[in-house]
């Protein structure tokens, strides 16, 4: 019996990382919002490695933070270790990575959600998306509740027709042995959306006290006051170490001897898995020449006994998993808490989406996160944030927020999804960004806070902090550019000599001098030439001065690229009418429906001639 | 609005004139930097639309490449609706290509097939009913150039390009892997990276050199014989052509016009030109002949400068030499068959240091073999590989290769000087330039390569 259970502006289905951001953004932007989740315990769950950040992902977290997202603050409060990855490889790729306390992360996020005005959570299985005139009108749950709404964000993760596989055993289930969401897939299909099947996996979890750490190498965190959010206080936290060990030839032999029982190879698993997160059995087979692989033992929390085994994703039978673990130095007496498993799930090939993450098929229906074929908490959260924002903007009758590839990693991520042929779970990489040097984790606030403010997600306090930083930064740049020295200046000569730096040839500003690798911004504050203590500002000054040449080069490229991005293709274009288009281009364009000439030119297999033909068609249309 | 583009707009090999067309908001400014008007007071930047100016295209050293007529059209009253410059070269296709390369060095890129027409349309210079016709042109031209490019990518070329691509992918995967998967891939192996960059630079150099040599076979060269009157120029032409083409007499000033003959030397098509002996003269006809000689000499790929062994080196000889010393030169001491010789090797070294000198007799056909060998060596630049002939690089490919080359040189310089993210800019730039030749989706290829070469994954 279906009954009316209330009316909302936006309904978010799912409480994972995408769902949390979507729900918070929508509610904070003034929409009455409902989150429907299968289980309260799984809000902001980390069924894989409880780690956030790293190259490209840290940039995402910072970008979300600048826009008013929650992930950065939440991880800052629940991190048990933070490190900087890629130090010395340049500011564009430097990235914070945090190890979070899985339970604390969940608890903190749950609390934030529960305390958020205009947001309600209900535990239920969403079964049916009801539409009226091609637009969403309500969600109906398995138990008959009908929640009417004007927009829906589906963030179902790996739950859609989820199927767990461990060796010869397979059963329907969501991650961490939860219930799967079975009916929603069919509802999506009935709405004319296409679904595909992907696979991913996790390693076993073990008891801390069953590990012999004396046989492993300790990996401590950085004792620096690191933080993701621009709003978090700088604290030095107690660092919990990770531990490094490795597999042995004996481990590999166990795998090889049991391949006939490995679902990856027996054909039980048909979904496509990610290459960057292969199962251990895959690694052993494909890199047969390697007789050892790294294994990291990572705590899942501050007080928990549970340890995560990074490097050992597997769907081998449970008895084989035990043998494999025991062959690894330090794990001879291991006791397993959770068995590793593979999970297959339905995803929605994202070429069916607009850049706003709204499906082209159904008005008001947005999807975000793993359902869009991505992997990773950060990728999911970033999409959730954008989908939530755009659902709210839609209800407010405003233009969607679409970030450009040259503005944010979030823009790269979403543009890749909607224009690409995603044939494996998508993970963001810094190498996917054309303008990596502009999209740094250190300048995410400078890039995006104003946009966040405009849509109403950046609160007064964040806005004040941002403006203060910006003003001080501009002031200091002025100081460094104005202050110049000649070769005759004695103070300067002495300083240069002490730094083993060449004498001046001409008059030079402190800003220009900073380009020399051996000259650091801290030297200036020590010399009393610059009065600034804020670490963020000092870092920003140094990067902007040292990399000015490269940054300018990339900005120039962006200007050229933007011309093409600005040329929009009307949504109702009929590609059959475009005379002179090659068949391949016609087919691809119909499928992907690029929104701009820039997007069209990124579609794989499109020639410059096709783009020219399209330009001419649009011009002809315009003149009519 | 759009960037600046250029292309040779006459079909190669047709007629003596080639037109290079430039279009875009910056082309007049850029053309002014490489154009030297005959009347020095003229500044083409000040000129109105639809004007013509005579002058020279000059290279970075200020040397003339070709005498040209420069036509200028201002936006919107031009074919494309943008500022347009047309350079009418009359030295045939080779100087035209050199002019185009000079233009490109000013930051003008080569137009895509049909791009002028497309711009004309988009800027409203063609009416909507012509859209279809424009598209036909774009399609036809790009399909044709695709076919051509594919053909050129066959054979040895594809092997080279394949090796280039393979190494560049490896290099990019190393850099990107180290940035995106630091824990699995570790630090960049600098020694390996340097070895790859050096190998790549080497291959591109070979390709460009071979491409230039192949051009010589395809398009031929011009060789001009020059020297004072009566030194034996016409005799040499006749000997090389193996027929009595030019009138030979013992009267100085016999040849008054430029005489041109096409021959093949060692497989290279050569336009051989005999000129009027250069000297001060009051004879009107001879004077015109001398001026014309000087003109063809300027445009020649190679100049054969004749001396008279019996007469010795005269002031006239030295005067002529001064006017041609910047050219590619071979010095020929003619009439070697005569008893009396008045040129010592000391004198030659003193006046013409470092130049190739050959003793010949045009009359008795002595030293001709050596001359032909030297010509081949001069134009091909030393070692010749048997597969050169298969290597054809069109200008677009060459431009792309040169860009890749520049990025690699920068990368080599930067290797351990800059951070890896910056190095990545040049390593990536090189791959992107190559991608313009192969037309592949490079980002995916690099990522594929990363997973192939490194065991990545948690
Ligand atoms: N002995 C000898 N006489 C030569 C040789 N080459 C040319 N002569 C003679 O020198 C005279 C001039 O030869 P041309 O070939 O007409 O000289 P040119 O340089 O073309 O003269 P102009 O056209 O008048 O400038 C003729 O009488 C030739 O026979 C040579 O190698 N040996
Ligand atoms: Mg003569």
């Amino acid at each position: 019996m279906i009954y009316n259970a209330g009316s909302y502006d936006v309904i978010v289905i799912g409480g994972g990382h995408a769902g949390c951001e979507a729900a918070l953004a929508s509610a904070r932007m003034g929409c009455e919002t409902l989150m429907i989740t299968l289980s309260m315990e799984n809000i902001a769950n980390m069924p894989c490695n409880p780690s956030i950040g790293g190259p490209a992902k840290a940039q995402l977290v910072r970008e979300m933070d600048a826009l008013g997202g929650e992930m950065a603050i939440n991880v800052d409060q629940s991190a048990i270790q933070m490190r900087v990855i890629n130090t010395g490889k340049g500011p564009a790729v430097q990235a914070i990575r945090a190890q979070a306390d899985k339970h604390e992360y969940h608890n903190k996020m749950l609390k934030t959600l529960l305390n958020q005005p205009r947001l309600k959570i209900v535990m239920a299985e969403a079964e049916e998306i009801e539409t009226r005139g091609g637009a969403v009108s309500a969600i109906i749950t398995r138990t008959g509740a009908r929640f009417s709404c004007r927009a829906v964000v589906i963030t179902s993760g790996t739950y859609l027709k989820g199927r767990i596989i461990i060796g010869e055993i397979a059963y329907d289930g969501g991650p961490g042995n939860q219930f799967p969401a079975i009916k929603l897939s069919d509802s999506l299909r009935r709405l004319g959306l296409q679904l595909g099947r992907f696979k991913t996996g996790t390693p076993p979890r073990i008891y801390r006290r069953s590990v012999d750490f004396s046989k492993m190498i300790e990996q401590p965190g950085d004792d620096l006051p690191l933080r993701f959010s621009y709003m978090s206080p700088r604290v030095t936290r107690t660092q919990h170490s990770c531990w490094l060990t490795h597999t042995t030839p004996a481990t590999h032999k166990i795998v090889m001897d049991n391949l006939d029982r490995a679902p990856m190879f027996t054909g039980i698993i048909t979904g496509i898995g990610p290459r960057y997160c292969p199962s251990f059995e895959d690694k052993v087979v494909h890199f047969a020449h390697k007789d050892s692989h790294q294994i990291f033992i990572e705590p899942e929390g501050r007080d928990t006994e549970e340890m995560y085994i990074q490097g050992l994703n597997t769907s081998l039978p449970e008895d084989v998993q035990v043998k494999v673990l025991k062959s690894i130095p330090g794990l001879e007496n291991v006791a397993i808490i959770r068995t590793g498993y593979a999970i297959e799930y339905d995803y929605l090939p994202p070429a069916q989406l607009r850049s706003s993450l709204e499906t082209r098929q159904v008005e008001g229906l947005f999807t975000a996160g793993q359902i869009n074929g991505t992997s990773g908490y950060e990728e999911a959260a970033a999409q959730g944030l954008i989908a939530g924002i755009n659902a709210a903007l839609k209800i407010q009758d405003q233009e969607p927020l679409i970030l450009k590839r040259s503005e944010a990693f979030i823009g790269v991520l979403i543009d890749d999804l909607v224009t690409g042929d995603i044939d494996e779970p998508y993970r963001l990489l810094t190498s996917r960004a054309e303008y990596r040097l502009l999209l740094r984790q250190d300048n995410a606030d400078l890039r995006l806070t104003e946009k966040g403010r405009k849509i109403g997600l950046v609160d007064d306090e964040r806005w004040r902090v941002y403006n203060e930083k910006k003003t001080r930064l501009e002031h200091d740049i002025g100081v460094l550019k104005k202050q110049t020295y000649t070769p005759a200046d004695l103070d300067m000569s002495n300083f240069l000599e002490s730094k083993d730096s060449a004498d001046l040839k001409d008059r030079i500003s402190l800003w220009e001098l900073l380009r020399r690798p051996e000259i650091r911004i801290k030297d200036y504050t020590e010399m009393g030439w610059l009065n600034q203590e804020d670490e963020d500002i000092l870092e920003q000054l140094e990067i902007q001065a040292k990399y000015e040449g490269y940054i300018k080069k990339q900005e120039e490229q962006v200007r050229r690229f933007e011309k093409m991005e600005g040329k929009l293709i009307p949504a109702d274009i009929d590609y059959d009418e475009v005379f002179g288009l090659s068949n391949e281009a016609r087919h691809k364009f119909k499928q992907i429906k690029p929104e701009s000439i820039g997007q069209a030119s990124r579609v794989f297999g499109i020639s410059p001639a096709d783009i020219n033909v399209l330009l001419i068609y649009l011009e002809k249309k315009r003149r009519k | 609005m759009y960037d600046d583009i250029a292309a040779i707009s006459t079909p190669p090999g047709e007629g003596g004139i080639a037109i290079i067309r430039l279009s875009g908001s910056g082309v007049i400014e850029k053309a002014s930097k490489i154009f030297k008007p005959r009347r020095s007071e003229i500044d083409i930047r000040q000129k109105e639309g639809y004007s013509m100016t005579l002058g020279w295209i000059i290279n970075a050293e200020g040397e003339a490449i070709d005498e040209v007529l420069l036509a200028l059209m201002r936006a919107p009253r031009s074919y494309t609706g943008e500022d347009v410059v047309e350079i009418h070269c009359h030295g045939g296709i080779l100087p035209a290509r050199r002019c185009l390369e000079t233009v490109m060095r000013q930051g003008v890129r080569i137009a895509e097939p049909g791009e002028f027409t497309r711009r004309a349309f988009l800027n409203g210079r063609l009416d909507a009913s012509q859209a279809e016709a424009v598209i036909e042109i774009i399609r036809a031209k790009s399909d044709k150039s695709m076919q051509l490019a594919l053909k050129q990518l066959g054979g040895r070329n594809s092997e080279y390009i394949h090796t280039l691509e393979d190494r560049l992918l490896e290099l990019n995967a190393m850099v990107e892997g180290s940035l995106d998967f630091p824990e699995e891939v570790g630090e960049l192996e600098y020694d390996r990276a340097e070895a790859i960059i050096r190998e790549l630079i080497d291959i591109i150099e070979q390709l460009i050199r071979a491409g230039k040599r192949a051009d010589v076979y395809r398009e031929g060269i011009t060789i001009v014989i020059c020297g004072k009157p009566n030194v034996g120029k016409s005799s040499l032409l006749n000997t090389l052509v193996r027929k009595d083409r030019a009138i030979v007499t013992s009267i100085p000033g016999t040849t008054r016009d430029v005489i041109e003959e096409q021959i093949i030397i060692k497989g290279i098509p050569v336009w051989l030109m005999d000129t009027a002996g250069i000297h001060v003269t009051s004879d009107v006809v001879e004077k015109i002949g001398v001026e014309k000689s000087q003109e063809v000499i300027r445009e020649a790929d190679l100049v054969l400068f004749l001396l008279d062994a019996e007469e010795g080196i005269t002031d006239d000889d030295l005067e002529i030499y001064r006017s041609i010393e910047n050219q590619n030169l071979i010095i020929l001491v003619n009439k070697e068959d005569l008893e009396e010789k008045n040129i010592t090797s000391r004198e030659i070294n003193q006046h013409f240091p470092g130049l190739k000198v050959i003793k010949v007799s045009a009359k008795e056909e002595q030293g001709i073999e050596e001359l032909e060998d030297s010509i081949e060596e001069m134009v091909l630049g030393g070692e010749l590989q048997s597969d050169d002939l298969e290597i054809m690089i069109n200008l677009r490919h060459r431009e792309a290769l040169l860009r890749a080359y520049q990025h690699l040189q920068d990368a080599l310089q930067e290797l351990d000087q800059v951070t890896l993210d910056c190095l990545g800019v040049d390593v990536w730039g090189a791959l992107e330039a190559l991608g313009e030749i192969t037309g592949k989706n490079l980002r995916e290829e690099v990522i594929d390569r990363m997973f192939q070469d490194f065991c990545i994954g948690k």
Side-chain angles (χ1 to χ4, degrees):
Chain A
M1 179 67 189
I2 293 170
Y3 74 102
N4 270 334
S7 171
Y8 294 87
D9 294 322
V10 176
I11 294 180
V12 177
I13 302 175
H17 304 282
C20 291
E21 296 291 348
L24 286 172
S26 159
R28 286 169 180 171
M29 284 170 73
C31 294
E32 288 302 327
T33 308
L34 176 72
M35 175 190 273
I36 302 179
T37 173
L38 282 167
S39 135
M40 298 295 276
E41 283 70 54
N42 277 345
I43 300 266
N45 183 27
M46 301 200 203
C48 216
N49 188 355
S51 148
I52 284 178
K57 292 164 174 268
Q59 281 92 323
L60 281 182
V61 178
R62 282 265 171 100
E63 286 172 3
M64 284 187 263
D65 185 56
L67 289 169
E70 194 62 28
M71 184 174 242
I73 292 174
N74 208 59
V75 67
D76 281 344
Q77 292 177 2
S78 56
I80 55 171
Q81 188 201 67
M82 273 203 192
R83 289 205 295 149
V84 183
I85 310 283
N86 276 344
T87 48
K89 289 183 189 168
V93 294
Q94 235 166 61
I96 301 178
R97 179 149 73 208
Q99 207 55 40
D101 181 310
K102 186 170 149 175
H103 303 289
E104 243 179 272
Y105 190 90
H106 154 79
N107 285 335
K108 291 234 150 69
M109 187 63 90
L110 181 60
K111 203 169 144 198
T112 307
L113 293 172
L114 289 171
N115 289 329
Q116 175 63 45
R118 286 182 297 277
L119 174 62
K120 282 208 192 71
I121 308 179
V122 59
M123 213 167 117
E125 182 182 344
E127 209 173 70
E128 176 80 31
I129 302 157
E130 187 192 277
T131 61
R132 205 167 288 157
V136 291
S137 52
I139 295 293
I140 299 163
T141 69
R142 193 167 178 180
T143 45
R146 181 183 178 280
F147 297 101
S148 65
C149 64
R150 294 157 72 193
V152 168
V153 184
I154 305 183
T155 64
S156 55
T158 60
Y159 281 81
L160 283 189
K161 290 225 163 116
R163 191 172 153 78
I164 303 278
I165 302 141
I166 303 169
E168 297 93 344
I169 317 287
Y171 51 89
D172 293 343
N177 274 337
Q178 299 294 315
F179 286 115
I182 301 293
K183 293 279 182 72
L184 198 56
S185 283
D186 301 330
S187 176
L188 287 169
R189 281 215 177 81
R190 277 196 299 277
L191 290 172
L193 292 158
Q194 272 151 30
L195 300 179
R197 204 116 172 105
F198 274 166
K199 167 247 147 182
T200 187
T202 66
R205 315 299 150 90
I206 55 174
Y207 272 98
R208 185 196 295 265
R209 60 173 178 271
S210 71
V211 179
D212 180 356
F213 290 108
S214 67
K215 292 184 179 162
M216 301 184 179
I217 301 164
E218 184 169 0
Q219 299 242 298
D222 289 341
D223 261 344
L224 299 165
L226 298 171
R227 55 176 189 173
F228 276 110
S229 174
Y230 296 99
M231 301 306 291
S232 295
R234 289 174 183 285
V235 290
T236 319
R237 36 182 89 62
T238 340
Q239 302 281 334
H240 293 250
S241 293
C242 296
W243 301 84
L244 174 62
T245 178
H246 55 87
T247 59
T248 62
T251 321
H252 297 198
K253 184 162 184 312
I254 297 167
V255 171
M256 293 310 282
D257 288 348
N258 286 285
L259 278 187
D260 56 330
R261 297 178 62 206
M264 291 292 299
F265 297 93
T266 54
I268 294 183
I269 291 180
T270 51
I272 302 162
R275 280 175 300 176
Y276 45 82
C277 194
S279 68
F280 181 63
E281 44 272 37
D282 255 348
K283 283 198 270 187
V284 171
V285 170
H286 290 138
F287 291 88
H289 58 280
K290 291 190 82 168
D291 52 15
S292 177
H293 293 277
Q294 288 187 337
I295 299 290
F296 293 90
I297 310 289
E298 302 172 347
E300 293 228 310
R302 236 183 281 278
D303 322 305
T304 173
E305 268 296 297
E306 227 178 319
M307 301 292 278
Y308 181 92
I309 308 181
Q310 185 183 306
L312 215 69
N313 287 343
T314 179
S315 54
L316 286 166
E318 197 171 289
D319 58 305
V320 183
Q321 290 191 25
V322 175
K323 280 190 205 145
V324 163
L325 284 172
K326 293 200 164 169
S327 70
I328 294 170
L331 299 182
E332 293 82 356
N333 297 311
V334 75
I336 294 185
I337 296 180
R338 300 177 200 231
T339 309
Y341 61 86
I343 181 166
E344 282 192 321
Y345 56 96
D346 282 350
Y347 79 102
L348 185 139
Q352 301 171 86
L353 302 177
R354 302 175 200 278
S355 295
S356 59
L357 294 180
E358 186 178 20
T359 57
R360 281 198 304 269
Q361 190 74 22
V362 183
E363 206 190 328
L365 179 64
F366 295 78
T367 58
Q370 268 173 303
I371 185 177
N372 288 345
T374 62
S375 79
Y377 310 139
E378 304 86 345
E379 284 91 337
Q383 292 171 65
L385 177 62
I386 298 296
I389 289 171
N390 285 334
L393 287 173
K394 179 153 190 124
I395 281 165
Q396 295 161 0
D397 252 339
Q398 294 190 45
E399 289 294 307
L401 174 72
I402 294 169
L403 299 175
K404 289 182 255 179
R405 296 183 77 87
S406 53
E407 274 172 348
F409 266 98
I410 298 177
V412 174
L413 164 71
I414 293 176
D415 189 62
D416 275 354
L417 291 180
V418 302
T419 57
D421 269 333
I422 304 297
D423 52 9
E424 67 172 330
Y426 174 98
R427 174 187 162 154
L428 191 62
L429 303 166
T430 70
S431 52
R432 296 193 196 270
E434 295 84 350
Y435 313 110
R436 185 161 62 191
L437 286 173
L438 304 180
L439 309 183
R440 308 183 305 271
Q441 69 165 19
D442 63 80
N443 68 355
D445 55 342
L446 299 174
R447 287 185 275 126
L448 298 172
T449 308
E450 276 165 43
K451 286 189 192 290
R453 179 71 178 178
K454 201 169 146 240
I455 55 171
L457 268 186
V458 165
D459 60 23
D460 292 345
E461 177 57 9
R462 183 186 287 276
W463 186 237
R464 187 192 61 72
V465 169
Y466 164 76
N467 277 306
E468 194 184 307
K469 175 174 171 185
K470 206 174 146 209
T471 315
R472 283 162 69 188
L473 189 64
E474 278 160 11
H475 170 264
D476 286 354
I477 291 176
V479 167
L480 294 180
K481 283 190 172 165
K482 246 181 269 148
Q483 220 166 309
T484 60
Y485 290 85
T486 62
D489 191 283
L490 211 63
D491 265 3
M492 181 49 87
S493 317
N494 289 338
F495 167 72
L496 290 175
E497 205 186 316
S498 74
K499 296 288 159 202
D500 234 353
S501 191
D503 288 337
L504 298 185
K505 287 205 196 75
D506 297 303
R507 177 181 284 278
I508 192 173
S509 70
L510 284 178
W511 180 259
E512 290 161 321
L513 188 66
L514 207 47
R515 268 177 224 150
R516 298 186 176 185
E518 65 277 12
I519 306 295
R520 306 299 304 263
I521 191 82
K522 285 268 171 70
D523 300 333
Y524 289 0
T525 52
E526 272 166 30
M527 294 293 292
W529 292 336
L530 179 71
N531 183 16
Q532 182 59 263
E533 278 166 11
D534 186 309
E535 293 285 337
D536 276 359
I537 293 177
L538 290 174
E539 179 191 29
Q540 201 50 232
L541 288 171
E542 183 149 49
I543 291 171
Q544 287 193 17
K546 284 204 186 302
Y547 294 87
E548 196 173 30
Y550 283 96
I551 291 171
K552 284 221 171 107
K553 234 195 251 175
Q554 292 230 307
E555 282 171 346
E556 178 55 38
Q557 291 169 345
V558 171
R559 266 191 290 282
R560 254 180 286 148
F561 148 96
E562 229 123 70
K563 278 181 208 154
M564 288 296 168
E565 298 306 306
K567 282 206 174 64
L568 299 181
I569 301 175
D572 60 355
I573 186 169
D574 176 2
Y575 285 104
D576 286 326
E577 220 187 60
V578 182
F579 171 79
L581 214 52
S582 71
N583 284 336
E584 189 186 0
R586 205 184 298 278
H587 176 75
K588 288 255 169 83
F589 287 161
K590 275 186 190 172
Q591 192 193 340
I592 287 172
K593 296 224 163 68
E595 288 162 36
S596 69
I597 290 290
Q599 266 192 1
S601 65
R602 279 191 296 279
V603 174
F604 183 59
I606 297 305
S607 73
D610 290 320
I611 295 301
N612 283 333
V613 164
L614 198 55
L615 277 170
I616 286 173
Y617 173 82
L618 293 177
E619 170 68 14
K620 201 178 144 196
K621 263 253 147 73
R622 194 186 63 81
R623 282 194 215 167
K624 267 193 191 146
Chain B
M1 177 70 193
Y2 297 105
D3 53 349
D4 299 327
I5 53 169
I8 297 180
S9 66
T10 37
E14 278 175 30
I17 288 189
I19 299 174
I20 298 163
R21 185 183 276 159
L22 290 71
S23 180
S25 54
V27 297
I28 295 178
E29 176 71 32
K30 285 171 184 170
S32 74
K33 294 201 178 120
I34 53 159
F35 177 73
K36 186 169 157 233
R38 177 156 276 193
R39 283 169 50 207
S40 57
E41 71 275 12
I42 293 177
D43 180 351
I44 57 163
R45 286 173 298 184
Q46 310 300 327
K47 283 240 161 185
E48 309 244 312
Y50 287 94
S51 64
M52 298 272 218
T53 314
L54 194 62
W56 298 275
I57 295 296
I58 49 169
N59 64 17
E61 286 78 47
E63 295 157 6
I65 291 171
D66 195 16
E67 186 177 51
V68 302
L69 205 56
L70 189 135
L72 195 140
M73 279 138 275
R74 285 191 182 275
R77 294 184 56 230
S78 73
Y79 175 61
T80 57
E82 304 169 337
D83 285 349
V84 165
V85 171
E86 280 183 358
I87 302 172
H88 298 243
C89 311
H90 55 279
I93 194 71
L94 265 189
R97 284 185 58 160
R98 259 180 260 145
C99 286
L100 180 56
E101 281 173 22
T102 314
V103 167
M104 279 154 56
R105 249 171 247 132
Q106 292 299 317
V108 179
R109 80 171 158 79
I110 300 226
E112 290 160 16
E115 194 170 4
F116 286 101
T117 321
R118 184 197 87 194
R119 288 188 179 198
F121 182 80
L122 293 181
N123 291 326
R125 296 297 290 175
L126 300 173
D127 79 66
S129 66
Q130 287 167 285
E132 252 84 287
V134 173
I135 288 169
E136 301 274 12
I137 292 171
I138 290 176
R139 277 254 90 97
K141 284 203 175 171
S142 74
D143 291 347
K144 203 171 139 204
S145 73
M146 270 306 262
Q147 276 169 13
L148 214 75
L150 286 179
K151 225 159 100 194
Q152 286 170 340
L153 282 178
R156 294 287 298 181
N157 263 357
S158 70
E159 253 174 66
Y160 277 116
I161 298 286
H162 186 82
T163 315
L164 277 178
E165 191 179 26
D166 181 70
R167 297 296 184 282
L168 267 172
L169 283 175
E170 182 185 349
L171 184 64
N172 272 280
M174 284 166 68
V175 172
E176 298 302 329
S178 169
L179 296 177
D180 270 321
F181 297 98
E183 276 160 359
E184 291 95 331
V185 176
E187 295 297 317
L188 179 69
E189 285 176 53
Y190 278 91
D191 291 347
R192 174 79 188 130
E194 185 177 339
I196 294 177
I197 294 175
R198 287 192 191 282
E199 185 188 351
L200 284 164
I201 286 177
D202 200 53
I203 296 175
I204 296 181
E205 274 173 354
Q206 273 184 47
L207 262 176
I208 287 174
R209 238 183 295 144
K212 280 205 173 130
R213 289 195 289 258
D215 287 349
V216 164
Y217 284 104
R218 207 170 9 164
E219 287 162 1
I221 54 165
T222 54
I223 299 182
V224 174
I225 306 170
C226 85
K228 67 192 169 200
N230 221 30
V231 68
K233 299 183 292 297
S234 300
S235 305
L236 181 67
L237 176 100
N238 289 345
T239 301
L240 287 169
V241 176
R242 293 179 216 292
K243 66 179 181 196
D244 284 338
R245 170 68 175 80
I247 300 165
V248 171
T249 71
S250 56
I251 308 160
T254 305
T255 310
R256 303 209 161 183
D257 199 356
V258 174
I259 295 174
E260 195 178 318
E261 268 296 304
Q262 199 181 356
I263 54 167
I264 307 282
I265 295 176
K266 305 260 171 187
I268 302 168
V270 173
W271 278 267
L272 188 63
M273 292 182 222
D274 177 20
T275 59
I278 296 172
H279 69 124
V280 184
T281 173
S282 53
D283 183 320
V284 184
V285 181
E286 222 191 330
K287 208 170 172 176
I288 295 172
V290 169
E291 271 169 23
K292 223 168 157 194
S293 305
Q294 280 161 339
E295 197 179 306
V296 294
I297 287 168
R298 254 202 319 276
E299 289 166 13
D301 293 301
L302 178 63
V303 174
L304 305 178
F305 178 39
L306 265 64
L307 301 171
D308 190 320
E310 191 185 47
E311 239 192 287
I313 299 172
T314 65
D315 287 348
D316 280 349
D317 286 329
L318 294 177
E319 179 130 345
I320 295 170
Y321 176 67
R322 266 193 293 283
S323 71
I324 58 172
E325 64 183 336
N326 286 326
Q327 305 282 123
N328 268 332
L329 272 186
I330 296 178
I331 307 251
L332 299 179
V333 181
N334 191 29
K335 306 192 185 177
E336 190 48 32
D337 55 301
L338 295 177
E339 282 296 309
E340 187 165 349
K341 298 198 176 65
N342 289 310
I343 301 182
T344 64
S345 44
R346 233 194 97 246
E347 271 178 299
I348 287 178
N349 283 339
Q350 183 196 333
H351 291 297
F352 318 113
L355 287 184
K356 178 87 196 159
V357 180
I358 304 169
K359 293 178 178 164
V360 295
S361 165
K363 202 169 166 189
E364 303 300 328
E365 303 190 11
Q366 289 167 13
I368 301 303
E369 188 94 340
E370 194 188 342
L371 173 61
E372 289 186 344
D373 285 344
S374 303
I375 290 173
E376 185 189 25
E377 203 189 302
M378 284 285 283
V379 296
L380 296 180
E383 89 277 29
L384 175 75
Q385 273 128 33
S386 58
D387 53 27
D388 275 1
L389 279 176
E390 288 177 49
I391 292 175
M392 308 254 178
I393 300 174
N394 69 27
L395 211 53
R396 191 190 297 276
H397 291 175
R398 180 175 299 173
E399 188 196 8
L401 279 174
L402 284 173
R403 237 175 316 125
Y405 184 78
Q406 196 50 53
H407 279 298
L408 288 164
Q409 289 285 8
D410 289 350
L412 195 61
Q413 290 275 314
E414 291 165 348
L415 201 53
D416 40 21
Q417 301 291 317
V418 303
T419 48
L420 206 51
D421 55 353
C422 293
L423 183 71
V425 174
D426 278 310
V427 171
W428 179 261
L431 183 63
E432 208 166 31
L434 188 76
E436 285 172 28
I437 299 177
T438 56
K440 290 193 184 155
N441 184 345
L442 300 168
R443 246 162 236 290
E444 273 315 308
E445 298 251 333
V446 168
I447 291 169
D448 285 349
R449 187 61 181 260
M450 216 149 74
F451 289 117
Q452 190 187 314
D453 288 358
F454 304 104
C455 179
I456 285 167
K458 296 165 185 176

